[in-house]
mmCIF file with all atom_site columns, all heavy atoms in Angstrom:
data_model
loop_
_atom_site.group_PDB
_atom_site.id
_atom_site.type_symbol
_atom_site.label_atom_id
_atom_site.label_alt_id
_atom_site.label_comp_id
_atom_site.label_asym_id
_atom_site.label_entity_id
_atom_site.label_seq_id
_atom_site.pdbx_PDB_ins_code
_atom_site.Cartn_x
_atom_site.Cartn_y
_atom_site.Cartn_z
_atom_site.occupancy
_atom_site.B_iso_or_equiv
_atom_site.pdbx_formal_charge
_atom_site.auth_seq_id
_atom_site.auth_comp_id
_atom_site.auth_asym_id
_atom_site.auth_atom_id
_atom_site.pdbx_PDB_model_num
ATOM 1   N N   . ASP A 1 1  ? 12.657 -15.206 -5.262  1.00 98.00 ? 1  ASP A N   1
ATOM 2   C CA  . ASP A 1 1  ? 12.910 -16.554 -5.781  1.00 98.00 ? 1  ASP A CA  1
ATOM 3   C C   . ASP A 1 1  ? 11.698 -17.089 -6.543  1.00 98.00 ? 1  ASP A C   1
ATOM 4   O O   . ASP A 1 1  ? 10.631 -17.271 -5.972  1.00 98.00 ? 1  ASP A O   1
ATOM 5   C CB  . ASP A 1 1  ? 13.248 -17.479 -4.609  1.00 98.00 ? 1  ASP A CB  1
ATOM 6   C CG  . ASP A 1 1  ? 13.679 -18.872 -5.043  1.00 98.00 ? 1  ASP A CG  1
ATOM 7   O OD1 . ASP A 1 1  ? 13.579 -19.190 -6.247  1.00 98.00 ? 1  ASP A OD1 1
ATOM 8   O OD2 . ASP A 1 1  ? 14.116 -19.648 -4.172  1.00 98.00 ? 1  ASP A OD2 1
ATOM 9   N N   . VAL A 1 2  ? 11.854 -17.327 -7.831  1.00 98.00 ? 2  VAL A N   1
ATOM 10  C CA  . VAL A 1 2  ? 10.803 -17.987 -8.613  1.00 98.00 ? 2  VAL A CA  1
ATOM 11  C C   . VAL A 1 2  ? 11.184 -19.437 -8.908  1.00 98.00 ? 2  VAL A C   1
ATOM 12  O O   . VAL A 1 2  ? 10.324 -20.299 -9.043  1.00 98.00 ? 2  VAL A O   1
ATOM 13  C CB  . VAL A 1 2  ? 10.508 -17.227 -9.925  1.00 98.00 ? 2  VAL A CB  1
ATOM 14  C CG1 . VAL A 1 2  ? 11.685 -17.309 -10.904 1.00 98.00 ? 2  VAL A CG1 1
ATOM 15  C CG2 . VAL A 1 2  ? 9.237  -17.729 -10.583 1.00 98.00 ? 2  VAL A CG2 1
ATOM 16  N N   . ARG A 1 3  ? 12.465 -19.714 -8.978  1.00 98.00 ? 3  ARG A N   1
ATOM 17  C CA  . ARG A 1 3  ? 12.935 -21.030 -9.401  1.00 98.00 ? 3  ARG A CA  1
ATOM 18  C C   . ARG A 1 3  ? 12.514 -22.144 -8.446  1.00 98.00 ? 3  ARG A C   1
ATOM 19  O O   . ARG A 1 3  ? 12.246 -23.277 -8.879  1.00 98.00 ? 3  ARG A O   1
ATOM 20  C CB  . ARG A 1 3  ? 14.457 -21.011 -9.538  1.00 98.00 ? 3  ARG A CB  1
ATOM 21  C CG  . ARG A 1 3  ? 15.030 -22.252 -10.199 1.00 98.00 ? 3  ARG A CG  1
ATOM 22  C CD  . ARG A 1 3  ? 16.493 -22.082 -10.549 1.00 98.00 ? 3  ARG A CD  1
ATOM 23  N NE  . ARG A 1 3  ? 17.022 -23.259 -11.221 1.00 98.00 ? 3  ARG A NE  1
ATOM 24  C CZ  . ARG A 1 3  ? 16.884 -23.522 -12.514 1.00 98.00 ? 3  ARG A CZ  1
ATOM 25  N NH1 . ARG A 1 3  ? 16.220 -22.684 -13.288 1.00 98.00 ? 3  ARG A NH1 1
ATOM 26  N NH2 . ARG A 1 3  ? 17.397 -24.608 -13.051 1.00 98.00 ? 3  ARG A NH2 1
ATOM 27  N N   . ASN A 1 4  ? 12.428 -21.825 -7.165  1.00 98.00 ? 4  ASN A N   1
ATOM 28  C CA  . ASN A 1 4  ? 12.150 -22.858 -6.172  1.00 98.00 ? 4  ASN A CA  1
ATOM 29  C C   . ASN A 1 4  ? 10.715 -22.858 -5.663  1.00 98.00 ? 4  ASN A C   1
ATOM 30  O O   . ASN A 1 4  ? 10.390 -23.605 -4.742  1.00 98.00 ? 4  ASN A O   1
ATOM 31  C CB  . ASN A 1 4  ? 13.121 -22.710 -5.000  1.00 98.00 ? 4  ASN A CB  1
ATOM 32  C CG  . ASN A 1 4  ? 14.559 -22.951 -5.428  1.00 98.00 ? 4  ASN A CG  1
ATOM 33  O OD1 . ASN A 1 4  ? 14.908 -24.029 -5.887  1.00 98.00 ? 4  ASN A OD1 1
ATOM 34  N ND2 . ASN A 1 4  ? 15.395 -21.921 -5.308  1.00 98.00 ? 4  ASN A ND2 1
ATOM 35  N N   . ILE A 1 5  ? 9.849  -22.051 -6.280  1.00 98.00 ? 5  ILE A N   1
ATOM 36  C CA  . ILE A 1 5  ? 8.453  -22.021 -5.816  1.00 98.00 ? 5  ILE A CA  1
ATOM 37  C C   . ILE A 1 5  ? 7.498  -22.662 -6.826  1.00 98.00 ? 5  ILE A C   1
ATOM 38  O O   . ILE A 1 5  ? 6.345  -22.918 -6.493  1.00 98.00 ? 5  ILE A O   1
ATOM 39  C CB  . ILE A 1 5  ? 7.983  -20.593 -5.465  1.00 98.00 ? 5  ILE A CB  1
ATOM 40  C CG1 . ILE A 1 5  ? 7.946  -19.689 -6.691  1.00 98.00 ? 5  ILE A CG1 1
ATOM 41  C CG2 . ILE A 1 5  ? 8.865  -19.988 -4.372  1.00 98.00 ? 5  ILE A CG2 1
ATOM 42  C CD1 . ILE A 1 5  ? 7.300  -18.318 -6.416  1.00 98.00 ? 5  ILE A CD1 1
ATOM 43  N N   . ILE A 1 6  ? 7.983  -22.896 -8.054  1.00 98.00 ? 6  ILE A N   1
ATOM 44  C CA  . ILE A 1 6  ? 7.187  -23.640 -9.040  1.00 98.00 ? 6  ILE A CA  1
ATOM 45  C C   . ILE A 1 6  ? 8.070  -24.707 -9.684  1.00 98.00 ? 6  ILE A C   1
ATOM 46  O O   . ILE A 1 6  ? 9.287  -24.558 -9.748  1.00 98.00 ? 6  ILE A O   1
ATOM 47  C CB  . ILE A 1 6  ? 6.572  -22.725 -10.125 1.00 98.00 ? 6  ILE A CB  1
ATOM 48  C CG1 . ILE A 1 6  ? 7.640  -21.872 -10.821 1.00 98.00 ? 6  ILE A CG1 1
ATOM 49  C CG2 . ILE A 1 6  ? 5.475  -21.853 -9.533  1.00 98.00 ? 6  ILE A CG2 1
ATOM 50  C CD1 . ILE A 1 6  ? 7.107  -21.031 -11.967 1.00 98.00 ? 6  ILE A CD1 1
ATOM 51  N N   . GLU A 1 7  ? 7.446  -25.762 -10.168 1.00 97.00 ? 7  GLU A N   1
ATOM 52  C CA  . GLU A 1 7  ? 8.185  -26.877 -10.768 1.00 97.00 ? 7  GLU A CA  1
ATOM 53  C C   . GLU A 1 7  ? 8.360  -26.716 -12.270 1.00 97.00 ? 7  GLU A C   1
ATOM 54  O O   . GLU A 1 7  ? 9.230  -27.320 -12.863 1.00 97.00 ? 7  GLU A O   1
ATOM 55  C CB  . GLU A 1 7  ? 7.470  -28.202 -10.469 1.00 97.00 ? 7  GLU A CB  1
ATOM 56  C CG  . GLU A 1 7  ? 7.545  -28.620 -9.011  1.00 97.00 ? 7  GLU A CG  1
ATOM 57  C CD  . GLU A 1 7  ? 8.984  -28.706 -8.516  1.00 97.00 ? 7  GLU A CD  1
ATOM 58  O OE1 . GLU A 1 7  ? 9.824  -29.321 -9.216  1.00 97.00 ? 7  GLU A OE1 1
ATOM 59  O OE2 . GLU A 1 7  ? 9.273  -28.146 -7.447  1.00 97.00 ? 7  GLU A OE2 1
ATOM 60  N N   . SER A 1 8  ? 7.511  -25.892 -12.888 1.00 97.00 ? 8  SER A N   1
ATOM 61  C CA  . SER A 1 8  ? 7.583  -25.701 -14.334 1.00 97.00 ? 8  SER A CA  1
ATOM 62  C C   . SER A 1 8  ? 7.197  -24.269 -14.692 1.00 97.00 ? 8  SER A C   1
ATOM 63  O O   . SER A 1 8  ? 6.247  -23.708 -14.113 1.00 97.00 ? 8  SER A O   1
ATOM 64  C CB  . SER A 1 8  ? 6.638  -26.665 -15.055 1.00 97.00 ? 8  SER A CB  1
ATOM 65  O OG  . SER A 1 8  ? 6.482  -26.291 -16.416 1.00 97.00 ? 8  SER A OG  1
ATOM 66  N N   . ALA A 1 9  ? 7.913  -23.699 -15.656 1.00 98.00 ? 9  ALA A N   1
ATOM 67  C CA  . ALA A 1 9  ? 7.593  -22.349 -16.121 1.00 98.00 ? 9  ALA A CA  1
ATOM 68  C C   . ALA A 1 9  ? 6.167  -22.259 -16.651 1.00 98.00 ? 9  ALA A C   1
ATOM 69  O O   . ALA A 1 9  ? 5.559  -21.179 -16.628 1.00 98.00 ? 9  ALA A O   1
ATOM 70  C CB  . ALA A 1 9  ? 8.581  -21.923 -17.204 1.00 98.00 ? 9  ALA A CB  1
ATOM 71  N N   . ARG A 1 10 ? 5.621  -23.367 -17.096 1.00 98.00 ? 10 ARG A N   1
ATOM 72  C CA  . ARG A 1 10 ? 4.261  -23.343 -17.638 1.00 98.00 ? 10 ARG A CA  1
ATOM 73  C C   . ARG A 1 10 ? 3.209  -23.023 -16.568 1.00 98.00 ? 10 ARG A C   1
ATOM 74  O O   . ARG A 1 10 ? 2.089  -22.611 -16.909 1.00 98.00 ? 10 ARG A O   1
ATOM 75  C CB  . ARG A 1 10 ? 3.936  -24.677 -18.328 1.00 98.00 ? 10 ARG A CB  1
ATOM 76  C CG  . ARG A 1 10 ? 4.776  -24.906 -19.586 1.00 98.00 ? 10 ARG A CG  1
ATOM 77  C CD  . ARG A 1 10 ? 4.266  -26.111 -20.380 1.00 98.00 ? 10 ARG A CD  1
ATOM 78  N NE  . ARG A 1 10 ? 2.887  -25.946 -20.816 1.00 98.00 ? 10 ARG A NE  1
ATOM 79  C CZ  . ARG A 1 10 ? 2.501  -25.212 -21.847 1.00 98.00 ? 10 ARG A CZ  1
ATOM 80  N NH1 . ARG A 1 10 ? 3.393  -24.541 -22.561 1.00 98.00 ? 10 ARG A NH1 1
ATOM 81  N NH2 . ARG A 1 10 ? 1.227  -25.128 -22.163 1.00 98.00 ? 10 ARG A NH2 1
ATOM 82  N N   . GLU A 1 11 ? 3.557  -23.167 -15.314 1.00 98.00 ? 11 GLU A N   1
ATOM 83  C CA  . GLU A 1 11 ? 2.640  -22.758 -14.243 1.00 98.00 ? 11 GLU A CA  1
ATOM 84  C C   . GLU A 1 11 ? 2.363  -21.256 -14.303 1.00 98.00 ? 11 GLU A C   1
ATOM 85  O O   . GLU A 1 11 ? 1.320  -20.792 -13.822 1.00 98.00 ? 11 GLU A O   1
ATOM 86  C CB  . GLU A 1 11 ? 3.215  -23.140 -12.876 1.00 98.00 ? 11 GLU A CB  1
ATOM 87  C CG  . GLU A 1 11 ? 3.291  -24.636 -12.626 1.00 98.00 ? 11 GLU A CG  1
ATOM 88  C CD  . GLU A 1 11 ? 3.888  -24.973 -11.274 1.00 98.00 ? 11 GLU A CD  1
ATOM 89  O OE1 . GLU A 1 11 ? 3.416  -24.417 -10.255 1.00 98.00 ? 11 GLU A OE1 1
ATOM 90  O OE2 . GLU A 1 11 ? 4.844  -25.781 -11.227 1.00 98.00 ? 11 GLU A OE2 1
ATOM 91  N N   . MET A 1 12 ? 3.295  -20.496 -14.893 1.00 98.00 ? 12 MET A N   1
ATOM 92  C CA  . MET A 1 12 ? 3.122  -19.044 -14.983 1.00 98.00 ? 12 MET A CA  1
ATOM 93  C C   . MET A 1 12 ? 1.954  -18.651 -15.878 1.00 98.00 ? 12 MET A C   1
ATOM 94  O O   . MET A 1 12 ? 1.494  -17.509 -15.840 1.00 98.00 ? 12 MET A O   1
ATOM 95  C CB  . MET A 1 12 ? 4.404  -18.381 -15.494 1.00 98.00 ? 12 MET A CB  1
ATOM 96  C CG  . MET A 1 12 ? 5.612  -18.582 -14.607 1.00 98.00 ? 12 MET A CG  1
ATOM 97  S SD  . MET A 1 12 ? 7.034  -17.537 -15.050 1.00 98.00 ? 12 MET A SD  1
ATOM 98  C CE  . MET A 1 12 ? 7.407  -18.100 -16.711 1.00 98.00 ? 12 MET A CE  1
ATOM 99  N N   . LEU A 1 13 ? 1.456  -19.582 -16.690 1.00 98.00 ? 13 LEU A N   1
ATOM 100 C CA  . LEU A 1 13 ? 0.314  -19.305 -17.559 1.00 98.00 ? 13 LEU A CA  1
ATOM 101 C C   . LEU A 1 13 ? -0.984 -19.134 -16.772 1.00 98.00 ? 13 LEU A C   1
ATOM 102 O O   . LEU A 1 13 ? -1.957 -18.593 -17.288 1.00 98.00 ? 13 LEU A O   1
ATOM 103 C CB  . LEU A 1 13 ? 0.144  -20.436 -18.584 1.00 98.00 ? 13 LEU A CB  1
ATOM 104 C CG  . LEU A 1 13 ? 1.287  -20.616 -19.600 1.00 98.00 ? 13 LEU A CG  1
ATOM 105 C CD1 . LEU A 1 13 ? 1.118  -21.918 -20.359 1.00 98.00 ? 13 LEU A CD1 1
ATOM 106 C CD2 . LEU A 1 13 ? 1.341  -19.431 -20.558 1.00 98.00 ? 13 LEU A CD2 1
ATOM 107 N N   . ASP A 1 14 ? -0.995 -19.606 -15.529 1.00 98.00 ? 14 ASP A N   1
ATOM 108 C CA  . ASP A 1 14 ? -2.214 -19.604 -14.702 1.00 98.00 ? 14 ASP A CA  1
ATOM 109 C C   . ASP A 1 14 ? -2.106 -18.523 -13.628 1.00 98.00 ? 14 ASP A C   1
ATOM 110 O O   . ASP A 1 14 ? -1.451 -18.707 -12.596 1.00 98.00 ? 14 ASP A O   1
ATOM 111 C CB  . ASP A 1 14 ? -2.396 -20.988 -14.067 1.00 98.00 ? 14 ASP A CB  1
ATOM 112 C CG  . ASP A 1 14 ? -3.720 -21.139 -13.327 1.00 98.00 ? 14 ASP A CG  1
ATOM 113 O OD1 . ASP A 1 14 ? -4.309 -20.116 -12.910 1.00 98.00 ? 14 ASP A OD1 1
ATOM 114 O OD2 . ASP A 1 14 ? -4.163 -22.296 -13.153 1.00 98.00 ? 14 ASP A OD2 1
ATOM 115 N N   . TRP A 1 15 ? -2.740 -17.387 -13.860 1.00 98.00 ? 15 TRP A N   1
ATOM 116 C CA  . TRP A 1 15 ? -2.670 -16.230 -12.959 1.00 98.00 ? 15 TRP A CA  1
ATOM 117 C C   . TRP A 1 15 ? -3.149 -16.581 -11.544 1.00 98.00 ? 15 TRP A C   1
ATOM 118 O O   . TRP A 1 15 ? -2.446 -16.295 -10.561 1.00 98.00 ? 15 TRP A O   1
ATOM 119 C CB  . TRP A 1 15 ? -3.494 -15.097 -13.549 1.00 98.00 ? 15 TRP A CB  1
ATOM 120 C CG  . TRP A 1 15 ? -3.731 -13.907 -12.676 1.00 98.00 ? 15 TRP A CG  1
ATOM 121 C CD1 . TRP A 1 15 ? -4.901 -13.553 -12.058 1.00 98.00 ? 15 TRP A CD1 1
ATOM 122 C CD2 . TRP A 1 15 ? -2.784 -12.877 -12.325 1.00 98.00 ? 15 TRP A CD2 1
ATOM 123 N NE1 . TRP A 1 15 ? -4.746 -12.376 -11.351 1.00 98.00 ? 15 TRP A NE1 1
ATOM 124 C CE2 . TRP A 1 15 ? -3.457 -11.942 -11.505 1.00 98.00 ? 15 TRP A CE2 1
ATOM 125 C CE3 . TRP A 1 15 ? -1.441 -12.668 -12.629 1.00 98.00 ? 15 TRP A CE3 1
ATOM 126 C CZ2 . TRP A 1 15 ? -2.828 -10.811 -10.984 1.00 98.00 ? 15 TRP A CZ2 1
ATOM 127 C CZ3 . TRP A 1 15 ? -0.815 -11.539 -12.107 1.00 98.00 ? 15 TRP A CZ3 1
ATOM 128 C CH2 . TRP A 1 15 ? -1.506 -10.627 -11.289 1.00 98.00 ? 15 TRP A CH2 1
ATOM 129 N N   . SER A 1 16 ? -4.320 -17.182 -11.425 1.00 98.00 ? 16 SER A N   1
ATOM 130 C CA  . SER A 1 16 ? -4.870 -17.491 -10.099 1.00 98.00 ? 16 SER A CA  1
ATOM 131 C C   . SER A 1 16 ? -3.956 -18.441 -9.333  1.00 98.00 ? 16 SER A C   1
ATOM 132 O O   . SER A 1 16 ? -3.739 -18.271 -8.117  1.00 98.00 ? 16 SER A O   1
ATOM 133 C CB  . SER A 1 16 ? -6.269 -18.113 -10.227 1.00 98.00 ? 16 SER A CB  1
ATOM 134 O OG  . SER A 1 16 ? -7.164 -17.203 -10.803 1.00 98.00 ? 16 SER A OG  1
ATOM 135 N N   . HIS A 1 17 ? -3.427 -19.424 -10.035 1.00 98.00 ? 17 HIS A N   1
ATOM 136 C CA  . HIS A 1 17 ? -2.502 -20.370 -9.403  1.00 98.00 ? 17 HIS A CA  1
ATOM 137 C C   . HIS A 1 17 ? -1.266 -19.652 -8.875  1.00 98.00 ? 17 HIS A C   1
ATOM 138 O O   . HIS A 1 17 ? -0.824 -19.911 -7.741  1.00 98.00 ? 17 HIS A O   1
ATOM 139 C CB  . HIS A 1 17 ? -2.098 -21.441 -10.420 1.00 98.00 ? 17 HIS A CB  1
ATOM 140 C CG  . HIS A 1 17 ? -0.931 -22.282 -10.001 1.00 98.00 ? 17 HIS A CG  1
ATOM 141 N ND1 . HIS A 1 17 ? -0.979 -23.150 -8.931  1.00 98.00 ? 17 HIS A ND1 1
ATOM 142 C CD2 . HIS A 1 17 ? 0.350  -22.360 -10.501 1.00 98.00 ? 17 HIS A CD2 1
ATOM 143 C CE1 . HIS A 1 17 ? 0.192  -23.749 -8.792  1.00 98.00 ? 17 HIS A CE1 1
ATOM 144 N NE2 . HIS A 1 17 ? 1.021  -23.282 -9.720  1.00 98.00 ? 17 HIS A NE2 1
ATOM 145 N N   . MET A 1 18 ? -0.708 -18.725 -9.656  1.00 98.00 ? 18 MET A N   1
ATOM 146 C CA  . MET A 1 18 ? 0.503  -18.025 -9.229  1.00 98.00 ? 18 MET A CA  1
ATOM 147 C C   . MET A 1 18 ? 0.230  -17.113 -8.031  1.00 98.00 ? 18 MET A C   1
ATOM 148 O O   . MET A 1 18 ? 1.110  -16.930 -7.179  1.00 98.00 ? 18 MET A O   1
ATOM 149 C CB  . MET A 1 18 ? 1.116  -17.246 -10.383 1.00 98.00 ? 18 MET A CB  1
ATOM 150 C CG  . MET A 1 18 ? 1.725  -18.125 -11.473 1.00 98.00 ? 18 MET A CG  1
ATOM 151 S SD  . MET A 1 18 ? 2.883  -19.392 -10.871 1.00 98.00 ? 18 MET A SD  1
ATOM 152 C CE  . MET A 1 18 ? 4.095  -18.375 -10.017 1.00 98.00 ? 18 MET A CE  1
ATOM 153 N N   . LEU A 1 19 ? -0.969 -16.547 -7.949  1.00 98.00 ? 19 LEU A N   1
ATOM 154 C CA  . LEU A 1 19 ? -1.310 -15.749 -6.760  1.00 98.00 ? 19 LEU A CA  1
ATOM 155 C C   . LEU A 1 19 ? -1.343 -16.643 -5.526  1.00 98.00 ? 19 LEU A C   1
ATOM 156 O O   . LEU A 1 19 ? -0.864 -16.248 -4.443  1.00 98.00 ? 19 LEU A O   1
ATOM 157 C CB  . LEU A 1 19 ? -2.661 -15.050 -6.945  1.00 98.00 ? 19 LEU A CB  1
ATOM 158 C CG  . LEU A 1 19 ? -2.766 -13.994 -8.047  1.00 98.00 ? 19 LEU A CG  1
ATOM 159 C CD1 . LEU A 1 19 ? -4.068 -13.206 -7.886  1.00 98.00 ? 19 LEU A CD1 1
ATOM 160 C CD2 . LEU A 1 19 ? -1.578 -13.041 -8.052  1.00 98.00 ? 19 LEU A CD2 1
ATOM 161 N N   . ASP A 1 20 ? -1.880 -17.839 -5.665  1.00 98.00 ? 20 ASP A N   1
ATOM 162 C CA  . ASP A 1 20 ? -1.897 -18.784 -4.540  1.00 98.00 ? 20 ASP A CA  1
ATOM 163 C C   . ASP A 1 20 ? -0.468 -19.176 -4.150  1.00 98.00 ? 20 ASP A C   1
ATOM 164 O O   . ASP A 1 20 ? -0.148 -19.290 -2.958  1.00 98.00 ? 20 ASP A O   1
ATOM 165 C CB  . ASP A 1 20 ? -2.686 -20.043 -4.913  1.00 98.00 ? 20 ASP A CB  1
ATOM 166 C CG  . ASP A 1 20 ? -4.176 -19.794 -5.062  1.00 98.00 ? 20 ASP A CG  1
ATOM 167 O OD1 . ASP A 1 20 ? -4.667 -18.765 -4.549  1.00 98.00 ? 20 ASP A OD1 1
ATOM 168 O OD2 . ASP A 1 20 ? -4.849 -20.621 -5.708  1.00 98.00 ? 20 ASP A OD2 1
ATOM 169 N N   . VAL A 1 21 ? 0.385  -19.369 -5.155  1.00 98.00 ? 21 VAL A N   1
ATOM 170 C CA  . VAL A 1 21 ? 1.770  -19.762 -4.892  1.00 98.00 ? 21 VAL A CA  1
ATOM 171 C C   . VAL A 1 21 ? 2.500  -18.681 -4.102  1.00 98.00 ? 21 VAL A C   1
ATOM 172 O O   . VAL A 1 21 ? 3.151  -18.968 -3.080  1.00 98.00 ? 21 VAL A O   1
ATOM 173 C CB  . VAL A 1 21 ? 2.521  -20.066 -6.217  1.00 98.00 ? 21 VAL A CB  1
ATOM 174 C CG1 . VAL A 1 21 ? 4.024  -20.187 -5.967  1.00 98.00 ? 21 VAL A CG1 1
ATOM 175 C CG2 . VAL A 1 21 ? 1.993  -21.347 -6.844  1.00 98.00 ? 21 VAL A CG2 1
ATOM 176 N N   . VAL A 1 22 ? 2.426  -17.424 -4.543  1.00 98.00 ? 22 VAL A N   1
ATOM 177 C CA  . VAL A 1 22 ? 3.171  -16.367 -3.834  1.00 98.00 ? 22 VAL A CA  1
ATOM 178 C C   . VAL A 1 22 ? 2.564  -16.099 -2.459  1.00 98.00 ? 22 VAL A C   1
ATOM 179 O O   . VAL A 1 22 ? 3.294  -15.757 -1.514  1.00 98.00 ? 22 VAL A O   1
ATOM 180 C CB  . VAL A 1 22 ? 3.282  -15.054 -4.654  1.00 98.00 ? 22 VAL A CB  1
ATOM 181 C CG1 . VAL A 1 22 ? 4.078  -15.279 -5.919  1.00 98.00 ? 22 VAL A CG1 1
ATOM 182 C CG2 . VAL A 1 22 ? 1.938  -14.443 -4.942  1.00 98.00 ? 22 VAL A CG2 1
ATOM 183 N N   . ALA A 1 23 ? 1.261  -16.282 -2.319  1.00 98.00 ? 23 ALA A N   1
ATOM 184 C CA  . ALA A 1 23 ? 0.635  -16.092 -1.003  1.00 98.00 ? 23 ALA A CA  1
ATOM 185 C C   . ALA A 1 23 ? 1.173  -17.099 0.009   1.00 98.00 ? 23 ALA A C   1
ATOM 186 O O   . ALA A 1 23 ? 1.279  -16.793 1.204   1.00 98.00 ? 23 ALA A O   1
ATOM 187 C CB  . ALA A 1 23 ? -0.882 -16.205 -1.114  1.00 98.00 ? 23 ALA A CB  1
ATOM 188 N N   . ALA A 1 24 ? 1.524  -18.291 -0.458  1.00 98.00 ? 24 ALA A N   1
ATOM 189 C CA  . ALA A 1 24 ? 2.004  -19.351 0.436   1.00 98.00 ? 24 ALA A CA  1
ATOM 190 C C   . ALA A 1 24 ? 3.523  -19.390 0.584   1.00 98.00 ? 24 ALA A C   1
ATOM 191 O O   . ALA A 1 24 ? 4.046  -20.136 1.420   1.00 98.00 ? 24 ALA A O   1
ATOM 192 C CB  . ALA A 1 24 ? 1.519  -20.703 -0.081  1.00 98.00 ? 24 ALA A CB  1
ATOM 193 N N   . THR A 1 25 ? 4.243  -18.572 -0.193  1.00 98.00 ? 25 THR A N   1
ATOM 194 C CA  . THR A 1 25 ? 5.707  -18.642 -0.231  1.00 98.00 ? 25 THR A CA  1
ATOM 195 C C   . THR A 1 25 ? 6.351  -17.979 0.986   1.00 98.00 ? 25 THR A C   1
ATOM 196 O O   . THR A 1 25 ? 5.876  -16.955 1.477   1.00 98.00 ? 25 THR A O   1
ATOM 197 C CB  . THR A 1 25 ? 6.230  -17.962 -1.524  1.00 98.00 ? 25 THR A CB  1
ATOM 198 O OG1 . THR A 1 25 ? 5.781  -18.729 -2.647  1.00 98.00 ? 25 THR A OG1 1
ATOM 199 C CG2 . THR A 1 25 ? 7.740  -17.872 -1.543  1.00 98.00 ? 25 THR A CG2 1
ATOM 200 N N   . LYS A 1 26 ? 7.444  -18.571 1.430   1.00 98.00 ? 26 LYS A N   1
ATOM 201 C CA  . LYS A 1 26 ? 8.247  -17.993 2.510   1.00 98.00 ? 26 LYS A CA  1
ATOM 202 C C   . LYS A 1 26 ? 9.343  -17.120 1.911   1.00 98.00 ? 26 LYS A C   1
ATOM 203 O O   . LYS A 1 26 ? 10.072 -17.556 1.016   1.00 98.00 ? 26 LYS A O   1
ATOM 204 C CB  . LYS A 1 26 ? 8.881  -19.102 3.350   1.00 98.00 ? 26 LYS A CB  1
ATOM 205 C CG  . LYS A 1 26 ? 9.688  -18.581 4.537   1.00 98.00 ? 26 LYS A CG  1
ATOM 206 C CD  . LYS A 1 26 ? 10.259 -19.732 5.361   1.00 98.00 ? 26 LYS A CD  1
ATOM 207 C CE  . LYS A 1 26 ? 11.050 -19.193 6.563   1.00 98.00 ? 26 LYS A CE  1
ATOM 208 N NZ  . LYS A 1 26 ? 11.582 -20.290 7.391   1.00 98.00 ? 26 LYS A NZ  1
ATOM 209 N N   . PRO A 1 27 ? 9.511  -15.871 2.376   1.00 98.00 ? 27 PRO A N   1
ATOM 210 C CA  . PRO A 1 27 ? 10.570 -15.003 1.847   1.00 98.00 ? 27 PRO A CA  1
ATOM 211 C C   . PRO A 1 27 ? 11.960 -15.571 2.149   1.00 98.00 ? 27 PRO A C   1
ATOM 212 O O   . PRO A 1 27 ? 12.154 -16.277 3.138   1.00 98.00 ? 27 PRO A O   1
ATOM 213 C CB  . PRO A 1 27 ? 10.361 -13.678 2.581   1.00 98.00 ? 27 PRO A CB  1
ATOM 214 C CG  . PRO A 1 27 ? 9.031  -13.774 3.234   1.00 98.00 ? 27 PRO A CG  1
ATOM 215 C CD  . PRO A 1 27 ? 8.733  -15.209 3.433   1.00 98.00 ? 27 PRO A CD  1
ATOM 216 N N   . ARG A 1 28 ? 12.922 -15.216 1.294   1.00 97.00 ? 28 ARG A N   1
ATOM 217 C CA  . ARG A 1 28 ? 14.305 -15.664 1.510   1.00 97.00 ? 28 ARG A CA  1
ATOM 218 C C   . ARG A 1 28 ? 14.987 -14.847 2.607   1.00 97.00 ? 28 ARG A C   1
ATOM 219 O O   . ARG A 1 28 ? 15.991 -15.276 3.177   1.00 97.00 ? 28 ARG A O   1
ATOM 220 C CB  . ARG A 1 28 ? 15.079 -15.564 0.199   1.00 97.00 ? 28 ARG A CB  1
ATOM 221 C CG  . ARG A 1 28 ? 14.651 -16.580 -0.851  1.00 97.00 ? 28 ARG A CG  1
ATOM 222 C CD  . ARG A 1 28 ? 15.407 -17.886 -0.708  1.00 97.00 ? 28 ARG A CD  1
ATOM 223 N NE  . ARG A 1 28 ? 16.787 -17.729 -1.125  1.00 97.00 ? 28 ARG A NE  1
ATOM 224 C CZ  . ARG A 1 28 ? 17.237 -17.936 -2.362  1.00 97.00 ? 28 ARG A CZ  1
ATOM 225 N NH1 . ARG A 1 28 ? 16.402 -18.342 -3.308  1.00 97.00 ? 28 ARG A NH1 1
ATOM 226 N NH2 . ARG A 1 28 ? 18.504 -17.757 -2.661  1.00 97.00 ? 28 ARG A NH2 1
ATOM 227 N N   . PHE A 1 29 ? 14.490 -13.644 2.872   1.00 97.00 ? 29 PHE A N   1
ATOM 228 C CA  . PHE A 1 29 ? 14.936 -12.859 4.027   1.00 97.00 ? 29 PHE A CA  1
ATOM 229 C C   . PHE A 1 29 ? 13.759 -12.020 4.507   1.00 97.00 ? 29 PHE A C   1
ATOM 230 O O   . PHE A 1 29 ? 12.775 -11.832 3.777   1.00 97.00 ? 29 PHE A O   1
ATOM 231 C CB  . PHE A 1 29 ? 16.163 -11.990 3.695   1.00 97.00 ? 29 PHE A CB  1
ATOM 232 C CG  . PHE A 1 29 ? 16.001 -11.048 2.526   1.00 97.00 ? 29 PHE A CG  1
ATOM 233 C CD1 . PHE A 1 29 ? 15.320 -9.837  2.665   1.00 97.00 ? 29 PHE A CD1 1
ATOM 234 C CD2 . PHE A 1 29 ? 16.546 -11.364 1.294   1.00 97.00 ? 29 PHE A CD2 1
ATOM 235 C CE1 . PHE A 1 29 ? 15.190 -8.967  1.590   1.00 97.00 ? 29 PHE A CE1 1
ATOM 236 C CE2 . PHE A 1 29 ? 16.424 -10.501 0.206   1.00 97.00 ? 29 PHE A CE2 1
ATOM 237 C CZ  . PHE A 1 29 ? 15.741 -9.290  0.363   1.00 97.00 ? 29 PHE A CZ  1
#
């Protein structure tokens, strides 16, 4: 799931930020 872990596609421009996001994300299963 990418749609529900960021509020804007422009967040994808920031590599370090996206690593922090996926590190904190809960899996869907």
Side-chain angles (χ1 to χ4, degrees):
D1 186 352
V2 68
R3 190 169 182 82
N4 296 299
I5 65 172
I6 55 176
E7 290 304 312
S8 167
R10 293 190 60 78
E11 293 179 51
M12 299 191 298
L13 296 169
D14 187 337
W15 170 253
S16 297
H17 167 66
M18 291 309 302
L19 295 192
D20 291 341
V21 168
V22 296
T25 295
K26 183 178 181 179
R28 290 272 288 269
F29 56 79

